[in-house]
Amino acid sequence: MGNCCGGHNLTNANFQIASYDLIYQDPSKFDFALLNKKALQIQKFFRGYEVRKKMKKQQTKQLAQTSDESFIYQYRSNQKENVNNKQNVLKFNIDGQQHIPVFNVKEVNISSKYSDKIKIVLDKLDPFNFDQDGQFVEYPFSKPLLIGDVIYEGQWNNCQKHGRGRQFWIDGSYYEGYWFNNCQHGKGRLLLAQGDIYEGDWKNDKVHGFGTYIHQNGAKYQGYWENDKQHGKGKEFWPDGATFEGDYKNGQKNGFGILREADGSVYEGEFQENRFEGHGDYMIVGGKRYVGQYKNNKMHGKGTFYWKDGKKYEGDYVNGVKQGYGVLFYPDGRIFKGYWQNGKQHGIGIYIGKSKVEKEGEWIDGKRVRWIRKGGEFTIIES
């Protein structure tokens, strides 16, 4: 992927498997510092793609880019000189037109170029389905040719890889599929030397369309791509059982999505640039739940928090803690209405006990310091 010279730039993809080991010591608060790390790691699987791997030698790069004008000129001017060199020259003609390069290429035994790891992977995979052959029936096939640091076997058009073909890189990576004007284009499967696999659609040497990327440890993305980035609907799967399904934009989670963690917790809601952002519903294993607004992976804005025992808070959150005005409902019927700061009652509030009598008081840092009135009376009640 990258510029059109038949390379690949997935080799250095940075896969980091998210683990889901969040512990909520205080059931009124999420530990979003941990959650932030986990959520952001999800997309790192498919980010960090580098520009395609450069050839070690400038000469090699020029040879691989067979569409280069200087190469074509050299090829034409040296065709007669090299045609009798059986070691370095292969000559094919169709209707008098030369399609396959004959200058500085060498026929090789491709079987010796399979790395052990790729052999093992290929043995486990179904044969690749070449279902677009009809578009390229008029183009000739070459035997395996060594061109610089790559070996290519397949169809050609005017000295460019074009049609059905397979290619081996010096690092042991392997591609089988279709080419168009020297670029991976159409359906194709790429096996990276370290064991990762991509199979799906390509466009001008980039992953583009629908495809599946499988990491060697079992992590997988299946969905749509655009210009080497996840874009559109997609699904991610992790070896620990966690999954994500939702919308992607420019390689990041953007829009609606559902994250199912390995422990059974589920977040269903909006994402922005891989973060919980907007409205969401987070159901935590064990019976806790938050429904409301998020900002930068934290509860922020209006929301409702539920506890397993029936306790409920409705009100304002700032940076993951109760702050502003909110109402706390206790399982036994008691109610507190008032102001909060840093997750604790702070300021003037109204307490309604089991007797349903309202008492107005003042709280500081979670502790009541005095009563102001009882019921409709405005007489000061000492604490």
Side-chain angles (χ1 to χ4, degrees), residues 124-317:
K124 295 179 180 178
L125 296 175
D126 293 331
F128 183 76
N129 182 22
F130 288 94
D131 58 0
Q132 298 173 321
D133 288 348
Q135 304 176 36
F136 306 100
V137 291
E138 71 271 30
Y139 300 108
F141 282 87
S142 74
K143 296 179 180 180
L145 301 179
L146 176 63
I147 309 173
D149 284 346
V150 301
I151 296 174
Y152 174 78
E153 177 185 30
Q155 291 178 282
W156 296 84
N157 179 32
N158 291 329
C159 297
Q160 294 185 337
K161 302 163 195 171
H162 194 86
R164 176 175 178 168
R166 55 179 180 161
Q167 179 162 298
F168 298 81
W169 282 264
I170 194 171
D171 69 349
S173 298
Y174 169 73
Y175 171 83
E176 56 184 352
Y178 290 95
W179 302 75
F180 192 89
N181 291 340
N182 230 36
C183 295
Q184 292 153 286
H185 190 98
K187 301 290 184 182
R189 177 161 63 189
L190 175 67
L191 285 72
L192 298 177
Q194 74 269 28
D196 295 1
I197 303 171
Y198 171 79
E199 182 169 350
D201 296 329
W202 298 75
K203 183 179 180 180
N204 295 331
D205 260 358
K206 295 183 178 181
V207 172
H208 192 100
F210 186 84
T212 300
Y213 193 109
I214 303 174
H215 189 255
Q216 58 181 327
N217 63 10
K220 179 171 72 171
Y221 170 80
Q222 184 176 54
Y224 288 91
W225 302 73
E226 185 173 296
N227 293 326
D228 278 349
K229 297 179 180 179
Q230 298 156 293
H231 193 92
K233 299 291 184 181
K235 300 178 182 179
E236 292 181 58
F237 306 85
W238 290 269
D240 64 0
T243 65
F244 173 82
E245 181 175 0
D247 300 323
Y248 294 82
K249 184 178 180 180
N250 294 326
Q252 296 182 318
K253 293 174 179 60
N254 276 278
F256 182 81
I258 301 174
L259 170 66
R260 303 181 187 275
E261 299 183 25
D263 66 358
S265 299
V266 178
Y267 172 83
E268 183 172 347
E270 295 176 286
F271 287 79
Q272 183 175 325
E273 296 180 350
N274 290 333
R275 304 186 305 270
F276 296 175
E277 191 91 11
H279 187 270
D281 184 348
Y282 195 85
M283 293 173 284
I284 309 166
V285 66
K288 297 182 287 292
R289 181 181 184 185
Y290 172 77
V291 181
Q293 296 297 310
Y294 285 88
K295 184 178 181 180
N296 196 27
N297 276 342
K298 296 180 179 180
M299 298 176 289
H300 191 94
K302 300 292 184 182
T304 302
F305 195 104
Y306 302 88
W307 285 261
K308 184 179 181 180
D309 62 4
K311 187 167 61 174
K312 180 176 71 171
Y313 170 83
E314 293 180 352
D316 299 325
Y317 281 89

